[in-house]
Amino acid sequence: MHLSAFVAAFRTPDLRKKLLFTLAMLAVFRLGSVVPTPGVDYSAIQRCIDQTSDNSVYAVINLFSGGALLQLSVFALGIMPYITASIIIQLLTVVIPRLEMLKKEGQSGQAKITQYTRYLTIGLAILQSTAILSLARTPGQLFSGCNEQLIPNQSPLLIVVMVIVMTAGTAVIMWLGELITERGVGNGMSLLIFTSIIATIPAQFINVFVSRGTFSFALTLLVSLVVLALVVFVEQGQRRIPVQYAKRMVGRRMYGGTSTYIPLKVNMAGVIPVIFASSLLFLPTLLVQLTGSQAEWAQWIATNFSTGTTTWYLLFFFFMTVFFTYFYVSITFNPVDVADNMKKYGGFIPGIRAGKPTAEYLSYVLNRLTFPGAIYLGAIAVVPVFAFNLIGIGDQFVFGGISLLIVVGVGLDTVKQIDSQLQQRNYEGFLR
């Protein structure tokens, strides 16, 4: 990667237009993240943020919203309702035949699934905004230890307006993401998450430097760089299974006779298992806060799940991440379908018979890859938290393995897309 390639990207008119459009949409997204929702006492929220620690059960979700959640801004919910809706639709595709048929119908079926995802996103946004505002109405619930009145006027009409505004904000974010994917560069939804995380990093590093001194800041930077190097190394790792296509005559034309490969990544599931596990671990504490229960089980949940740094929380986080990695890989990569498609077009793996033996071989390789991938994801999710706790900044620094995983994955994917477009035009790109 070199500077001349960046210059060449901006010198290419249509690519420059896409890059500038993407940057403009990201700027609109960040603007909406700081615009307060009508009826919110913005100064009271700022006082609570200054008084309390950001390392709570909301930390990960607040990170994905670029800090907008705890500020109760127009874009407070961020992209999380869409991510949750996408995961739910993918899970339902396995158990609902209608959705499975739509998935196999190609572009028209995918458009229908996308429409269902949008509807579910709006429904989840209504539920999540109602839950967050229910917590914000009671002093000390959204910010533990801060008794400021965040919503002075709590009339039913105003609360309904606030729910509508937050839900509309989620719809706008979804629209911005789709616009970036269609007219910009890279995956729009991924870039919005990327922007949200990047926006919070400088403030967290500055906070560590000011409150803990140079030594803790240097250790924090070192841990982040080590995890970053590990993430880049593993994310680039893949097992390439060679595939050959036999020659066949169609009319007067000869097709096939080429060689390619199936790239199976070590981390086939991406960041989805981590996000899903963190979202589910958020629910017990939310349930306790909404019910106000003082029972023994509620106190245990409040003690072990409220901060996100306790041993029980991290153990649950690790094992749930491993479980969802296996589960997600099993529903997104079907060895039987891949083997059938290869057989249909005359493809075969050298030394493996087409059909069922190919599916069994792919399943064997996939299982062996998924195990280290699942352990890697679980470790990336919890090890940085242990490290930051040892340094003594666990209550101040929420930028860890999850964030790095998303930043590296989205960054590499976006650079590759820009590079491929640049090579199509100038035969020169970022990567040598």
Side-chain angles (χ1 to χ4, degrees), residues 41-56:
D41 189 341
Y42 190 71
S43 58
I45 287 180
Q46 295 306 311
R47 289 194 295 270
C48 284
I49 291 177
D50 292 339
Q51 290 176 20
T52 60
S53 167
D54 190 35
N55 189 24
S56 64

Side-chain angles (χ1 to χ4, degrees), residues 235 265 267-274 325 328-329 373 376-377 405:
E235 288 298 311
K265 295 181 64 178
N267 179 21
M268 287 282 288
V271 74
I272 296 298
V274 180
T325 301
Y328 190 75
V329 170
Y376 152 77
L377 278 179
L405 192 64

Side-chain angles (χ1 to χ4, degrees), residues 241-245 262 337-349 354 358 362:
I241 299 177
V243 178
Q244 292 184 352
Y245 286 90
I262 301 175
D337 289 345
V338 174
D340 289 344
N341 289 331
M342 287 171 55
K343 186 177 180 180
K344 184 187 302 183
Y345 294 102
F348 63 93
I349 299 173
T358 298
L362 290 174

Side-chain angles (χ1 to χ4, degrees), residues 117-182:
T117 305
R118 292 171 182 164
Y119 294 148
L120 184 57
T121 300
I122 298 301
L124 290 175
I126 294 174
L127 291 175
Q128 291 184 17
S129 59
T130 303
I132 293 299
L133 290 175
S134 297
L135 294 176
R137 291 175 63 186
T138 306
Q141 288 279 20
L142 190 62
F143 296 93
S144 180
C146 181
N147 296 318
E148 295 278 354
Q149 189 70 52
L150 304 181
I151 306 177
N153 182 2
Q154 299 187 6
S155 65
L157 179 61
L158 181 59
I159 297 297
V160 170
V161 170
M162 295 174 74
V163 170
I164 292 174
V165 168
M166 286 188 176
T167 304
T170 299
V172 171
I173 292 174
M174 186 167 52
W175 178 61
L176 291 177
E178 293 178 356
L179 279 180
I180 293 173
T181 302
E182 181 182 348

Side-chain angles (χ1 to χ4, degrees), residues 26-99:
L26 295 179
V28 172
F29 172 64
R30 287 307 303 156
L31 178 63
S33 300
V34 296
V35 175
T37 301
V40 171
D41 189 341
Y42 190 71
S43 58
I45 287 180
Q46 295 306 311
R47 289 194 295 270
C48 284
I49 291 177
D50 292 339
Q51 290 176 20
T52 60
S53 167
D54 190 35
N55 189 24
S56 64
V57 69
Y58 315 103
V60 174
I61 301 177
N62 191 47
L63 188 67
F64 289 154
S65 69
L69 174 69
L70 294 183
Q71 295 193 39
L72 298 180
S73 70
V74 174
F75 289 172
L77 301 180
I79 202 68
M80 286 302 293
Y82 182 84
I83 294 174
T84 308
S86 300
I87 295 172
I88 291 173
I89 292 294
Q90 286 183 332
L91 298 179
L92 291 178
T93 303
V94 182
V95 296
I96 300 180
R98 167 64 178 163
L99 292 178

Side-chain angles (χ1 to χ4, degrees), residues 30 216 330-331:
R30 287 307 303 156
S216 294
S330 69
I331 67 172

